[in-house]
Amino acid sequence: MQDKAPDTTALPRRSFAIIFGVSMATAMGNTGLISVLPAIGRSLDIPDPMVSAIFSLSALLWAFSSPGWARASDRYGRKPLMLVGLSGFLVSMMLCGAVVSSGLAKLAAPMTIFILFLLARALFGLFGAASNPATQAYVAERTPIEGRTQAMANLAGAFGLGTVIGPFLAPLFIFPGVGLAGPLYSFAFIALGMLFVVWRFLPDSKPDPDARRPLRPVVGGAPAALPIWRDPRIMPFLIYGFIVATCQTAQAQTLGFLILDKLDLSPAKAQTYIAIAMMFGAVAGLLAQWGLIRMFEMTPRQLLRWGVGVAALGNLIVALSPDYYGVVVGYAVSSLGFGLARPGFTAGSSIAVGMAEQARVAGAIAAVNGINVIFAPLFVFLYQHFGPAPFIVNTLLMLGLLVYAFRNPALRNADPKPATQEATTLAALEKSDEG
C-alpha cells in the first residue's frame, strides 16, 4: 500500500515513522556522545571546559547554516536535504571515532586530539543541520493546524526517545579494541541504515516551481518581509526557545561531570551511572511529549508556561541535592519541563505563520537549537568553581521565562486559531493577492 500524495493534509504513518527515525537516529548519536564525552575527555587528559567546547564550533556552524538549508529544502525538496543531513552526521561520527581511537592509542598530544575532535564534530554542524528544518517542514506542511501541536510533540518525542536509547546503548558499544570510540562508530552505522531507509522508502516531495524563483513582495505584508530575527510574530518564540535550549544543553553537558565527582569513580565505571541518569531524564521528557500533552490536550500557550515552571523546579532540586539520587530526580523533573517547553515554542512558531513560511521558521528554530551549545563551556566553568552555580542560573532563567510567557503578547496568544477562522483568513489573503 503506497503513501498518499504529498499535498494531502494527513501525513501517512509510514512517512511519519521515517521522519521520526531520522530525528531519533540523530538524537541517539548526539546524546550518546554527550553521555560518553566526560569519560572520553578525562581519559584523554583534556580539561573539562574544553571537552564541552568540542560542540561549540559545530553549534556555530549549525546556527549559521540552518536558515540556508531551510531555503534549500524549499528549492530542492525535503527528502534531499534529509539525505544531506544524515550523510553529514555519518561522516562526522566516523571521523570523531577515529580521532578518539588515535587519542586512546596516544598517537598525538591531548591538544592535537582536541583540535581534530573539534573539526570532525564541526562537519556535523555544517552538513548535519540540513535534516532538521527539512523534517520539521515536512511534518508541518502535511498536518492540519488543529493537529499541529500534537504532531510537533510527536516529532519532539523522537528526540526524547533518542535521548533514552542513546545513553543506554553507549556503554554497550564500548567494545574491546576500540574502547570509548566504540559508541561513535556504532552510531555512525545506525545513521547509515537510516540513510538507506530515507533514500529507498520516503516519498519524494517535489519542490514547488514557485520556490525556484524569488517571491514577489506582498503589498502590506511588512511582517513577512522582515528578517526572521526581527519578525514580531516569530522573535518571541526564538528568544524563548534559545534560552530553553541553552539551559537544557548546559544541564546535560554538566551532568556527567557532576556525577563523576559525586561518585568519585573512574570515568569508565561512572559511565553506567551517567547513562542511567540521562535515561531517567529522557523517559520524563517522553512522558511529557507522548503522555501529558496528549492526555490533557495541552496548547502551545500552556506548554510555554508549564514547561519552564517545571524545569525551574527540577534545576533547583539538582542544585540542592547532596547525592547522586537527588541529582537523578532533579534531572528527571527538569527534563519533564523541557519536554513540555520545546514542543510549545516549536508548535507556537509554526502556527504563527502560513504554509509558505514553514521551512523558514523551521530553519530559525534549528538555528537557536544549535547555537545555544556555545554557552555550555561557560556553565562547565561555573561548575568547576561552584558546583550548584549552573543549576541556580538555570532556575533563575526559567523563572524569568515564566514571567515572559505570561506577559509577551505573542506567547500569550500562541494557541491555534479555529479552522473556520484560518480558512477565512486564507481566503482574504488569496483575494487580496489576486487583486
Side-chain angles (χ1 to χ4, degrees):
M1 184 175 180
Q2 294 186 350
D3 283 310
K4 298 177 183 179
D7 60 353
T8 182
T9 57
L11 181 63
R13 289 184 177 181
R14 190 181 75 171
S15 296
F16 182 80
I18 295 173
I19 298 297
F20 188 94
V22 172
S23 298
M24 187 176 71
T26 305
M28 283 170 54
N30 286 332
T31 55
L33 176 57
I34 289 173
S35 72
V36 299
L37 202 54
I40 289 174
R42 293 194 175 178
S43 297
L44 300 179
D45 297 323
I46 300 175
D48 292 353
M50 292 179 65
V51 171
S52 181
I54 286 171
F55 284 86
S56 297
L57 178 58
S58 174
L60 282 173
L61 292 173
W62 177 288
F64 285 115
S65 65
S66 289
W69 289 124
R71 291 191 296 271
S73 76
D74 277 339
R75 185 176 179 86
Y76 301 109
R78 314 306 183 199
K79 178 177 175 177
L81 272 295
M82 293 181 211
L83 295 175
V84 170
L86 283 169
S87 299
F89 177 79
L90 166 63
V91 173
S92 174
M93 272 293 186
M94 287 295 294
L95 291 176
C96 286
V99 170
V100 172
S101 293
S102 300
L104 293 173
K106 307 297 181 184
L107 298 180
M111 185 56 65
T112 302
I113 294 297
F114 165 74
I115 293 172
L116 292 175
F117 205 159
L118 187 74
L119 295 176
R121 177 65 187 177
L123 289 176
F124 172 71
L126 185 59
F127 295 101
S131 61
N132 195 290
T135 55
Q136 183 176 323
Y138 194 101
V139 172
E141 64 194 6
R142 288 164 172 77
T143 307
I145 194 166
E146 61 271 14
R148 190 82 51 80
T149 301
Q150 185 59 54
M152 292 302 178
N154 290 338
L155 187 60
F159 174 84
L161 186 59
T163 59
V164 173
I165 299 175
F168 171 76
L169 291 179
L172 303 179
F173 289 153
I174 302 177
F175 303 121
V178 293
L180 288 168
L184 282 66
Y185 293 128
S186 300
F187 290 126
F189 281 112
I190 291 172
L192 179 63
M194 201 64 234
L195 187 68
F196 172 78
V197 170
V198 172
W199 171 74
R200 179 66 180 83
F201 298 108
L202 185 68
D204 194 5
S205 58
K206 299 297 182 183
D208 189 331
D210 289 338
R212 297 183 179 273
R213 58 175 177 269
L215 296 175
R216 62 185 179 86
V218 178
V219 178
L226 288 172
I228 193 77
W229 313 109
R230 294 173 51 202
D231 190 327
R233 300 170 301 167
I234 306 303
M235 187 173 64
F237 295 101
L238 298 182
I239 293 172
Y240 181 101
F242 173 74
I243 296 175
V244 164
T246 296
C247 292
Q248 186 176 19
T249 301
Q251 186 184 42
Q253 293 208 16
T254 308
L255 180 72
F257 299 114
L258 177 63
I259 292 174
L260 281 169
D261 294 332
K262 289 268 185 198
L263 297 177
D264 194 23
L265 296 174
S266 67
K269 290 182 178 179
Q271 186 56 48
T272 301
Y273 293 93
I274 295 172
I276 290 172
M278 295 189 74
M279 285 171 55
F280 270 96
V283 169
L286 284 177
L287 173 63
Q289 292 157 356
W290 290 356
L292 299 181
I293 294 175
R294 184 186 298 273
M295 184 185 304
F296 296 106
E297 298 182 348
M298 299 178 74
T299 64
R301 178 176 59 180
Q302 294 169 325
L303 296 173
L304 293 169
R305 296 173 180 179
W306 277 100
V308 290
V310 174
L313 174 62
N315 275 275
L316 184 61
I317 293 173
V318 175
L320 300 178
S321 175
D323 55 25
Y324 168 77
Y325 301 101
V327 169
V328 173
V329 171
Y331 184 68
V333 172
S334 59
S335 297
L336 179 70
F338 291 130
L340 296 172
R342 292 183 79 102
F345 72 79
T346 302
S349 60
S350 174
I351 290 169
V353 300
M355 279 297 159
E357 296 178 273
Q358 290 301 320
R360 178 173 175 254
V361 169
I365 291 294
V368 300
N369 281 334
I371 198 172
N372 70 86
V373 180
I374 65 173
F375 292 101
L378 174 60
F379 282 82
V380 175
F381 177 81
L382 289 175
Y383 169 74
Q384 286 187 319
H385 288 78
F386 181 56
F391 310 102
I392 293 174
V393 171
N394 274 2
T395 300
L396 296 176
L397 288 173
M398 292 297 97
L399 291 176
L401 278 186
L402 182 60
V403 175
Y404 186 56
F406 273 97
R407 295 182 62 87
N408 182 269
L411 304 184
R412 211 169 51 226
N413 302 305
D415 290 350
K417 300 174 183 178
T420 53
Q421 182 179 348
E422 185 189 359
T424 303
T425 303
L426 288 173
L429 288 173
E430 291 172 0
K431 184 176 180 180
S432 65
D433 189 51
E434 290 170 1

